[in-house]
Amino acid sequence: GGVTTAAVPSAAPSAAAESASPDSTVEEISVAVIKKRNEQFSKIWKMVNTHEKSEPFKKPVTKREAPDYHTVIKRPMAINDVKKRVDKSDYEGNFAEFFGDMNLIFSNAMQYNTKNSEIWSWAKELQVILKKEEIAITGASASDMVASEMAPAPKTAGRTGAVKKGTDTPEAGEEPKAKHT
């Protein structure tokens, strides 16, 4: 059936997911790789969810909070929506889809809210953190691929250790964990 087209809205924010790689959804990867990637998704989700400025982005925006939100934002996304998909292994190891949804949370907030407002600034801050994680894992970010289709992927400078199990690498400006190795 033609049901699959419903998953790809024609709104501008989805352009990143669409142009990243048209066949990324049918990438052949093993169950072990999917499991490892899902653990990475879970770790990144948790890092964003526990950030001091994540509260406004955790639950979907309601009509009561912002009556016109759903007319302005064509594909709403919240941190809890991503959590549900991670918990069900719904991303099936697809980096572009996971980071696309995570980024959508913040790009929606920046689109809807006034530039440099508190919510806009918090969204921007979280988006920068997310982008850093995405580059550390994949060597590029979905938004970079769209912005400069022909540019080579940026090299990661020794951040590959951040994805190893049990490694707690503090982010810039974050205090190192007590059991940091």
Side-chain angles (χ1 to χ4, degrees):
V3 182
T4 54
T5 54
V8 184
S10 59
S14 68
E18 287 175 33
S19 65
S21 174
D23 57 354
S24 62
T25 52
V26 292
E27 179 187 14
E28 289 295 323
I29 52 177
S30 70
V31 174
V33 171
I34 290 173
K35 190 175 187 291
K36 183 177 186 287
R37 288 185 182 180
N38 207 55
E39 286 169 7
Q40 291 174 315
F41 297 160
S42 194
K43 183 182 172 196
I44 292 165
W45 176 88
K46 189 175 190 177
M47 182 193 69
V48 171
N49 188 58
T50 56
H51 191 280
E52 63 181 1
K53 295 178 180 171
S54 67
E55 200 57 45
F57 314 107
K58 289 184 179 183
K59 293 184 177 137
V61 176
T62 64
K63 287 206 188 324
R64 181 180 291 187
E65 292 169 317
D68 66 337
Y69 186 83
H70 291 63
T71 59
V72 176
I73 300 302
K74 301 301 176 209
R75 193 171 158 233
M77 187 65 61
I79 293 172
N80 289 354
D81 295 330
V82 174
K83 174 68 170 156
K84 288 174 194 165
R85 290 194 66 191
V86 169
D87 286 349
K88 293 189 299 187
S89 291
D90 198 30
Y91 290 107
E92 296 181 339
N94 188 321
F95 286 122
E97 213 177 319
F98 170 76
F99 284 109
D101 279 359
M102 288 293 288
N103 190 58
L104 188 59
I105 298 164
F106 309 120
S107 60
N108 282 349
M110 291 166 66
Q111 181 184 338
Y112 184 78
N113 292 279
T114 310
K115 188 172 183 173
N116 299 322
S117 65
E118 186 173 70
I119 297 288
W120 188 96
S121 299
W122 289 9
K124 182 70 179 166
E125 186 176 329
L126 286 163
Q127 191 176 52
V128 168
I129 291 167
L130 182 68
K131 188 178 215 176
K132 216 177 351 177
E133 289 300 312
E134 184 177 8
I135 291 169
I137 290 174
T138 66
S141 80
S143 56
D144 284 345
M145 287 184 231
V146 173
S148 56
E149 202 68 55
M150 305 309 287
K155 302 284 181 262
T156 54
R159 278 301 314 267
T160 53
V163 297
K164 285 183 186 152
K165 195 175 178 74
T167 303
D168 288 319
T169 305
E171 290 301 315
E174 180 182 317
E175 291 297 314
K177 309 282 185 289
K179 59 175 195 164
H180 181 69
T181 53

